[in-house]
Every structure is written in C-alpha cells, then in structure tokens.
Amino acid sequence: IEESINKQEPLVKVLRLLVLYSLINNGLEEKKFNNFKRDIVQTYGYKYLYTLDNLTKLGMFKIKKSPNPYEKLKKDFNLFTEDFQENNTPNDISYVHAGYAPLSVKLIEQIIDYQHKHPESLLVAKDE
C-alpha cells in the first residue's frame, strides 16, 4: 500500500488495497491508519480527506484502538474488587484500600502462590 502511494498509483487502487487490508486484519491500528491517511493526503491532496472519512463512516475501515496496558493489568491481576463491602472480614488486600489492590501487592501474591505450587523452583543448583 505504501509503495502504491509512493508511486502515485491511482487512488482507487490504493483505497481498494487499504480496505482489503483492513478487512483481512480485522481492522487497522489507529496509528497505522493515521499514517496511511497522512500519506494519502500528502500525495493526492486534501480533497480526499473527506473520502477517507466517508469510507470510515461507512465501515470500510475498522479502526482498532490501541489497548491501554493498565486495563489489561487491572483485569489480569483483579486490581479492583467489584463486590467490595466494608462490613466483610479482611481476607484480601483490597479491603484496606476500599476495593483497590495495589499492583505491587498482587505481584508478590502471585510469586508466593507460584512458589507454593512449585517448591522445586526454590531450589538453586550450585556448581561445585
């Protein structure tokens, strides 16, 4: 696609390739789409900016939002307790922080849990 843009091939061909690329890859990353958009506008002119926006509105380009790494950590480590109640007995660190468990504590819990499940990981072989 980039090569076609650089060679200034017909815009219809470039847009077809871009739509096909978006469909095959289940969307374009936002940064990559913006780079294509910038290249097309710089090569073919600003009048095609509306064409790109219309194709996006029609659903021809699916834009993938870049995932926030904190969202994945929050989910994987269960940093927020949904069913937090202040009357419960404190059996989780989230009790202390009103439903939030610090990531550092959750990491330590994971390490300790792993060591209990795999005690052989504690043994270190010495070469003597």
Side-chain angles (χ1 to χ4, degrees), residues 14 41 87 118 122 124 127:
V14 172
V41 168
N87 299 335
H118 302 88
L122 295 173
V124 178
D127 294 333

Side-chain angles (χ1 to χ4, degrees), residues 75-113:
K75 179 182 167 196
D76 290 347
F77 287 98
N78 194 23
L79 297 182
F80 288 94
T81 305
E82 298 294 329
D83 57 349
F84 171 75
Q85 295 176 1
E86 290 188 26
N87 299 335
N88 286 352
T89 57
N91 58 359
D92 189 21
I93 191 66
S94 62
Y95 176 83
V96 177
H97 298 285
Y100 170 73
L103 179 59
S104 57
V105 173
K106 287 293 190 172
L107 284 171
I108 292 170
E109 284 179 355
Q110 290 285 326
I111 291 169
I112 292 171
D113 189 42

Side-chain angles (χ1 to χ4, degrees), residues 14-62:
V14 172
L15 292 177
R16 285 180 182 165
L17 288 173
L18 196 55
V19 168
L20 188 59
Y21 182 81
S22 176
L23 290 172
I24 290 172
N25 291 305
N26 197 23
L28 294 162
E29 293 175 8
E30 190 172 18
K31 183 178 178 182
K32 191 169 214 154
F33 178 70
N34 287 334
N35 288 338
F36 281 131
K37 197 174 184 179
R38 183 197 67 227
D39 291 345
I40 289 171
V41 168
Q42 287 177 350
T43 304
Y44 298 98
Y46 286 98
K47 59 186 173 187
Y48 295 108
L49 188 59
Y50 296 111
T51 303
L52 291 169
D53 286 338
N54 288 335
L55 288 171
T56 304
K57 288 177 186 174
L58 287 171
M60 301 302 281
F61 301 124
K62 182 179 176 187

Side-chain angles (χ1 to χ4, degrees), residues 114-125:
Y114 179 81
Q115 289 176 346
H116 282 288
K117 290 179 182 174
H118 302 88
E120 68 277 1
S121 68
L122 295 173
L123 301 176
V124 178

